[in-house]
Every structure is written in structure tokens, then in C-alpha cells.
């Protein structure tokens, strides 16, 4: 009877974990859709303004400039849409050879307007020997979006976020570093715990404060057989360092 009860409890815990994972994924998709909607609206306004400019200006040079800007904005809109659709469609946990640099670039496209609004500049430093990782691109993007939003919120007056990639033996090392307020030493051991948050609540963009973001990040990275750790100094900033297994040469070439 005891074994049967233990088995039932284990099943219930597993079901609750699946439900929590699904809720976290839906919450991320909701935030992603909200962010993408703002970005898409910004692109649409660019298209409208340059279309009006092209109509008003009769000289060929001005019209060519308007068409070039409309084309660039349309291509950006297509990337935004593709990224959101990929997140919505491909939510299984399968791992494959993934170019993390592309995942980073797609994430920055989605957050470009938000970062600019809060005066945050993102620098990237990709080592030439950055390998492909054995990863689920959508899930890693969830982690990146969370860390980048956290970094932006840690610098309310604006600042710089640095994203680095490099190879260390059979691992890809991804670092997201901000130069913001930092995290107190007594809070660092708790930041990956569910429902723990250093924030009073969501900011004016409606993001953050639930205490689920970093817990979900940790779960995702550990599901990848990777590790995530944090380094932080109050007043100097915070760095999240992620280690992921690299794809073997045969998988990467496939």
C-alpha cells in the first residue's frame, strides 16, 4: 500500500512539473508575443512613413531611399514573425546542432526597440572558434530573452550589456553580462529558486517580478545537460555564465 501511494505521489509530482513547464512556456510565449507586437508596430510605422515620403517626393533618389528603407523594414518584420511562429510551433524538447550566435541575433531583433527605449546598448563578442551546441534553439532563446530583460531592468538609467561566446574543451560557454546594480551576496544563493525575486513586481513594461524566470532558465539549461551560474557584485553588475555541450562534428555537419 505504501509503495502504491508513493507511486501515485510520484505521478502527481511529475504531472505538476509538466503543468508548470507548460505554464512557463506559455508565459514566455505571451511575453515574446507582446514584445514582438511592439516591435512589429514600430516596423509598420517605418513602412508607412517612408511610403508617404516616397509618394510626396518626385525625384528618383528620394524614392529609391524610401524603397530601400521599406524593404529593410519589411525584411525585419519577416524575421520577427518567423521567430514568434517558431516558438509557437516547435515546443518539443528535441536537441539538435544549433548555432547559438543565430539564436542570439534573433533574440536581439525582438528586443531591439525595448533596449533602445531604455537606453541599453548590447555588445556581442563571438569567438571565431565558437562551436555549435547540442541544444533546442527555442528553449535557449527563452533563457536569453529572460537574461537580457533582467539585464535591462538592472540598469534603469541605461548602460551596456555584453554577450560573449567561446569554446572551452567540449563545451560552449555563453555569458550575458550587465553593468548594473548587482545582486547582494546573501541573495545570490536563492536566485534560481522558484518564486524568489529581488524585484518588487513587474516594471512599467509589465515584465519581471514573478520569481519564475531564472528558475525556468536553470531547468532548461540542466535539461540540456548544461550548467548556469551567476557572478555579481553590488554596484558593478552581474554575469550569467552558461555552459552547453557542443555538437559533435558529424551532427554539426549534417
Amino acid at each position: 500500500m505504501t509503495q502504491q501511494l508513493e507511486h501515485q505521489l510520484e505521478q502527481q509530482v511529475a504531472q505538476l512539473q509538466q503543468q508548470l513547464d507548460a505554464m512557463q512556456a506559455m508565459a514566455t510565449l505571451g511575453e515574446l508575443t507582446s514584445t514582438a507586437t511592439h516591435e512589429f508596430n514600430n516596423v509598420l510605422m517605418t513602412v508607412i512613413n517612408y511610403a508617404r515620403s516616397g509618394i510626396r517626393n518626385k525625384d528618383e533618389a528620394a524614392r529609391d531611399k524610401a524603397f530601400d528603407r521599406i524593404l529593410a523594414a519589411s525584411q525585419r518584420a519577416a524575421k520577427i514573425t518567423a521567430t514568434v511562429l517558431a516558438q509557437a510551433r516547435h515546443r518539443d524538447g528535441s536537441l539538435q546542432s544549433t548555432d547559438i550566435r543565430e539564436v542570439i541575433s534573433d533574440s536581439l531583433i525582438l528586443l531591439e526597440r525595448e533596449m533602445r527605449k531604455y537606453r541599453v546598448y548590447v555588445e556581442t563578442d563571438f569567438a571565431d572558434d565558437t562551436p555549435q551546441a547540442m541544444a533546442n534553439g527555442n528553449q535557449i532563446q527563452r533563457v536569453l530573452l529572460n537574461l537580457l530583460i533582467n539585464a535591462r531592468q538592472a540598469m534603469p538609467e541605461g548602460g551596456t550589456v555584453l554577450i560573449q561566446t567561446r569554446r572551452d574543451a567540449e563545451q560552449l560557454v555563453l555569458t550575458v553580462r550587465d553593468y548594473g546594480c548587482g545582486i547582494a551576496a546573501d541573495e545570490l544563493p536563492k536566485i534560481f529558486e522558484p518564486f524568489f525575486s529581488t524585484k518588487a513586481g513587474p516594471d512599467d513594461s509589465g515584465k519581471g517580478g514573478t520569481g519564475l524566470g531564472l528558475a525556468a532558465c536553470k531547468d532548461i539549461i540542466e535539461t540540456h545537460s548544461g550548467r548556469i551560474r551567476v557572478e555579481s557584485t553590488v554596484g558593478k553588475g552581474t554575469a550569467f555564465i552558461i555552459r552547453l555541450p557542443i555538437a559533435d562534428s558529424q551532427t554539426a555537419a549534417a
Side-chain angles (χ1 to χ4, degrees), residues 66-110:
F67 283 133
D68 287 343
R69 295 296 176 87
I70 289 171
L71 176 60
S74 300
Q75 290 170 333
R76 176 168 153 69
K79 288 182 179 180
I80 293 170
T81 303
T83 300
V84 175
L85 289 176
Q87 278 279 1
R89 291 171 180 166
H90 306 131
R91 298 197 317 219
D92 61 67
S94 62
L95 307 181
Q96 58 187 329
S97 180
T98 302
D99 189 339
I100 297 299
R101 292 168 295 186
E102 290 186 3
V103 177
I104 293 169
S105 297
D106 288 345
S107 301
L108 293 178
I109 286 173
L110 290 172

Side-chain angles (χ1 to χ4, degrees), residues 23 97 137 162 207 234:
M23 289 174 63
S97 180
L162 176 63
K207 296 177 180 177
V234 173

